[in-house]
Amino acid sequence: MTVVRSTLPESARETAGEALQSTLVDLIGLSLIGKQAHWNIVGPRFRSIHLQLDEVVSTARTFSDTVAERAAALGVAPDGRPETVAAGCTLPGAKSGWFRDDEVVRLIVETLEAAIGRLRERIETTEKADPVTQDLLIGITAELEKQRWMFEAENWPRD
């Protein structure tokens, strides 16, 4: 059942809806991975990385709301339930317990790279179906690439 009628043809709505739902799951997953690392980081760079993780989490949460609202505007009910995120999130996960600061940096770079790769695929998929959704995904990708760059710079010179 669609409560909100879409301005897109059905096939375009489905394509955009799938891209938005997958992105929503990735963003919620990213925010949870970031918080897990935020709570468990230790090491000499604790404070700076701890605060930097807050930026990633805030970005992911803000974009997840924007993505969910875009889906709703297209007549696609967004699904951010814990069981949906747990079943659908394929981003590299955080381990339990304490993380050394260098481990956190590697994890977040790897997680952001995975999310960016998936976003780039969705950008291609939505190009003809819905340029508005594509534009949203491009903006998210740009911000996540910026965050990835900032974390990667933390491990210079490379270990």
Side-chain angles (χ1 to χ4, degrees), residues 124-141:
E124 286 184 36
T125 302
T126 56
E127 180 180 13
K128 289 189 176 159
D130 183 20
V132 176
T133 294
Q134 182 193 41
D135 185 58
L136 173 60
L137 299 177
I138 289 169
I140 294 168
T141 302

Side-chain angles (χ1 to χ4, degrees), residues 48-123:
S48 64
I49 296 172
H50 180 81
L51 295 173
Q52 195 173 352
L53 286 164
D54 272 339
E55 290 178 32
V56 170
V57 170
S58 177
T59 296
R61 288 180 176 169
T62 297
F63 279 132
S64 67
D65 190 51
T66 303
V67 164
E69 289 176 353
R70 175 70 185 152
L74 294 178
V76 177
D79 188 353
R81 296 172 300 149
E83 58 269 27
T84 301
V85 175
C89 186
T90 60
L91 297 176
K95 66 176 186 169
S96 63
W98 304 110
F99 279 89
R100 285 189 339 259
D101 50 10
D102 60 325
E103 291 176 306
V104 168
V105 169
R106 277 193 293 277
L107 170 68
I108 297 302
V109 167
E110 183 180 315
T111 302
L112 287 167
E113 283 176 356
I116 290 163
R118 291 170 50 89
L119 276 161
R120 288 191 170 277
E121 291 171 7
R122 294 180 202 126
I123 288 168

Side-chain angles (χ1 to χ4, degrees), residues 136-152:
L136 173 60
L137 299 177
I138 289 169
I140 294 168
T141 302
E143 181 58 31
L144 294 186
E145 285 178 335
K146 176 180 147 190
Q147 293 292 335
R148 185 204 155 279
W149 156 62
M150 290 182 172
F151 271 94
E152 189 175 44

